[in-house]
Structures are given as C-alpha cells and as structure tokens.
Amino acid sequence: MARLRTAGARRRSMGEIAYVGIIGFLAALALLILVGPILVVLATSFTDSRSIRFPPTGFSLRWYELLLDEVRSRQIHRAVGNTLTVAAWAAGLATVLGTAAAVAMARAAGRAGRLADAFFMAPLVLPGLAFGLAALMYFSLLGFRPSLEMLVAGHLIVVAPFVLRTVGASLSQLDPSLLDASRSLGAGPVMTFRRVVLPLIAPGIAAGAFLAFMASVDNVPVSLFLSSARTDMLPIRMWGMMESTLDVRVAAVSGLLILTVFVLMLVMERFTGLTRRMRG
C-alpha cells in the first residue's frame, strides 16, 4: 500500500510539473507575441539607418532630434496638436456624459437599464470603418465640413462607452446603506451625489477619462474619414509617412507614445487601480 501511495504521489507530482511547464510556456509565448513588436519598434527608433529596418545597424538619437525639430517636423507637430486637442475635448465631454448616463442607468432597473446599456455600448461592437463612413455620410447630409469639432463629435461617440463602463463598475460596488444614511440625515439627491457618491466613484471616473483619452489618440477609423488636410491627425500622418517614405521618425513617434502611455498607466494604476476597474 505504501508503494502504491508513493507511485500515485509521483504521478501527481509529474502531472503537476508538466501542467505548470505547459502553462508557463504558453504564458511566455503570449508575452513574447504581445511585447515583441513593442521591443522591435523601440529598437528600430534608435537606428542610424535612413530607413526602417530591423535589426538596427547602429545606435543613434538622430531621429528623436529630428522629430523634435520645429521646422523639419512641423507637420507632425501640427498633427500632434490636433490629436491632443480632439482627445482632450472628446475625453472631457465623454467623462461628463458617461458619468451622467452611468448614474441614470444605475438607478434604472430591469429591462430599461439593460437596453440603455446595450445602446450606449454599441459603438464598441460596430466595425470602426463602418462607423467612420456612417459618421462622414451623416455629417455631410447635415452640411458640416471636416473640422476639429466634427472629429470631437465622432470620437465622443466612440470613447464614451469606456467612461460608462468604468463608472458603472464603481457604482455597482457602492454600498446602498451609505445613500440611505445620507437621506436619513436630511441630504437631498444633489447633496448626496456631491458629498457621498462622487468621492467614492472618482477613481472610476478618472480611469474612464484616461481610457477615453487614449482611445481617442489611437483612433484611426473615425479620424480617417472625418479629418482633412487642415485637421490632420497623428495616426493618419504616421500612416502616410509609412506608405510614402518609410520615415524612421514614425518609429521615434511610436517610441515616445509607448513611453508616455507606460508612465501614465503606472500613475493611473497607482492612484485609481486601473486594471481592476477595467475588469469590473
């Protein structure tokens, strides 16, 4: 009996080792697939070659210096300015509207709340190119010409669901007894929201605003259809540079974006628990 138990323990031990090994290999492979392209872009941005190639032939900061040159990279700087302006306005409006919608949906019960949630989350389900074309046709029928305002409106529809989801997750974790206690102490709905609800869901609002801002910066389909030569956006400018000359400044822009997003994600994770709220 002792020998049988020992043999069974050995088989279980070998099975556990094999399981851990397979899971570890798959995790490492997934990490390589996800992180590998980022490392390739970062390495390419420091090349001394005049075209994009990997592995780089040498180490140089010339492309970052050229990227920061106000004269030779004027078009890129203008595209960056347009992108940040549109992203800031879209994220700000999405934060206000998404928070209001999340609060209203949290109070709605039953089928109405589910229908409203599906309606507001629909832009994330629709194909981006189809939505961009539809937005262009719609604004054209209304007589609007391509402008930053039109880009803000298009981006707002796409990024608002991010705020709605994170704020909704924060509201779902709110203890109803706190609201009852506030009402029992004589506070009205506005006072309760300002003094009780808003401070508790503030991290969710901040996380949603961050996600909305980054989604707007990275949005290609809407920008592709709603931008023009005067309202050039950074993703479209980078795409054009890749198609025409394989300009290494594209890799430098990507490197700066990766570094900026990485730092911002660390800050947001520290103060708002971004990962937990994305899962929520």
Side-chain angles (χ1 to χ4, degrees):
M1 293 294 294
R3 291 181 179 179
L4 291 176
R5 285 195 295 269
T6 302
R10 289 179 179 176
R11 284 195 295 268
R12 287 195 299 270
S13 177
M14 293 298 295
E16 292 174 356
I17 293 174
Y19 174 79
V20 172
I22 293 173
I23 294 300
F25 171 76
L26 293 177
L29 181 61
L31 184 63
L32 178 63
I33 294 174
L34 293 173
V35 179
I38 297 176
L39 298 178
V40 169
V41 169
L42 287 175
T44 304
S45 67
F46 293 105
T47 184
D48 60 356
S49 174
R50 297 184 63 85
S51 62
I52 295 178
R53 63 176 62 181
F54 185 83
T57 57
F59 180 84
S60 175
L61 295 175
R62 58 180 295 193
W63 300 110
Y64 285 94
E65 295 175 356
L66 181 60
L67 179 63
L68 298 177
D69 189 285
E70 295 183 359
V71 177
R72 291 181 290 179
S73 298
R74 182 173 59 253
Q75 292 181 331
I76 298 178
H77 292 179
R78 183 178 62 182
V80 171
N82 291 337
T83 300
L84 294 179
T85 300
V86 171
W89 275 101
L93 293 173
T95 301
V96 175
L97 298 178
T99 300
V103 172
M105 288 167 54
R107 295 178 179 178
R111 186 176 181 182
R114 293 193 297 270
L115 288 176
D117 182 74
F119 175 78
F120 281 107
M121 298 304 295
L124 295 183
V125 180
L126 294 174
L129 289 175
F131 175 78
L133 177 60
L136 174 62
M137 295 176 63
Y138 177 73
F139 288 128
S140 298
L141 289 174
L142 294 178
F144 294 108
R145 295 182 178 180
S147 63
L148 290 181
E149 291 78 10
M150 200 165 73
L151 280 165
V152 170
H155 282 213
L156 171 61
I157 299 173
V158 176
V159 304
F162 292 98
V163 181
L164 183 67
R165 181 56 65 210
T166 57
V167 176
S170 297
L171 287 170
S172 66
Q173 301 172 8
L174 193 63
D175 189 355
S177 62
L178 296 176
L179 305 182
D180 295 336
S182 177
R183 284 192 293 265
S184 66
L185 293 174
V190 176
M191 179 68 72
T192 298
F193 178 78
R194 186 165 61 90
R195 293 293 184 88
V196 179
V197 177
L198 189 59
L200 293 176
I201 66 173
I205 296 175
F210 171 74
L211 292 175
F213 181 85
M214 295 311 306
S216 177
V217 169
D218 191 49
N219 188 281
V220 174
V222 176
S223 300
L224 179 65
F225 284 100
L226 300 184
S227 64
S228 64
R230 292 184 304 171
T231 58
D232 194 14
M233 302 290 283
L234 183 59
I236 310 304
R237 168 58 54 183
M238 294 174 64
W239 183 266
M241 293 168 64
M242 284 291 296
E243 280 190 324
S244 59
T245 60
L246 288 178
D247 198 322
V248 187
R249 286 179 298 176
V250 174
V253 172
S254 301
L256 290 178
L257 286 175
I258 292 170
L259 177 61
T260 303
V261 172
F262 180 73
V263 172
L264 290 177
M265 285 189 66
L266 291 179
V267 173
M268 294 300 296
E269 182 66 28
R270 171 65 178 81
F271 290 101
T272 68
L274 178 63
T275 304
R276 175 172 55 84
R277 298 186 185 277
M278 290 176 65
R279 291 197 302 266

